[in-house]
């Protein structure tokens, strides 16, 4: 699974729930395509700042899939908007 998400972050959508909750696998996926955050488990999207920051740095629109505590986090929102101004819509 790790090799698959290294080639294409969206491969995370085909991973097992266990792998969608594995921080190492999810980090690799969002480094390739931030919007792969959509397929990460709830805990990583809502509680893991490292994962969310990597996602929005790669694609600001990944903010759409971040938990509410991150959409109100100024630093996370700033990174997202620096990457893509349209991300402000999800803050």
């Amino acid at each position: 699974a790790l090799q698959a998400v290294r080639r294409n972050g969206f491969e995370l959508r085909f991973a097992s729930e266990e792998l969608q909750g594995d921080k190492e696998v999810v980090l690799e996926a969002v480094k390739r395509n931030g919007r792969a955050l959509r397929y990460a488990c709830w805990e990583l999207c809502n509680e893991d700042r490292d994962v969310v920051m990597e996602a929005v740095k790669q694609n600001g629109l990944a903010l759409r899939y971040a938990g509410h505590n991150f959409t109100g986090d100024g630093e996370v929102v700033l990174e997202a908007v620096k990457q893509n101004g349209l991300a402000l819509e999800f803050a």
Side-chain angles (χ1 to χ4, degrees):
L2 199 52
Q3 289 179 336
V5 299
R6 282 184 178 145
R7 284 191 304 274
N8 179 352
F10 270 133
E11 292 295 316
L12 186 61
R13 73 178 166 231
F14 301 116
S16 67
E17 283 186 33
E18 181 180 344
L19 290 174
Q20 289 174 344
D22 182 304
K23 183 173 179 173
E24 180 183 7
V25 172
V26 172
L27 274 172
E28 285 298 323
V30 300
K31 284 178 184 178
R32 303 302 181 265
N33 189 323
R35 294 179 74 188
L37 185 64
R38 173 183 192 172
Y39 304 107
C41 74
W42 184 92
E43 289 82 10
L44 291 177
C45 293
N46 287 276
E47 299 172 2
D48 196 304
R49 196 167 198 275
D50 296 336
V51 168
V52 173
M53 283 294 277
E54 282 297 327
V56 300
K57 284 179 182 178
Q58 198 285 324
N59 186 324
L61 298 178
L63 189 61
R64 174 183 200 157
Y65 307 110
H68 292 292
N69 52 326
F70 295 119
T71 59
D73 179 319
E75 189 178 349
V76 172
V77 172
L78 179 61
E79 285 298 324
V81 171
K82 282 192 324 191
Q83 200 288 321
N84 187 326
L86 297 175
L88 194 56
E89 175 183 346
F90 304 112

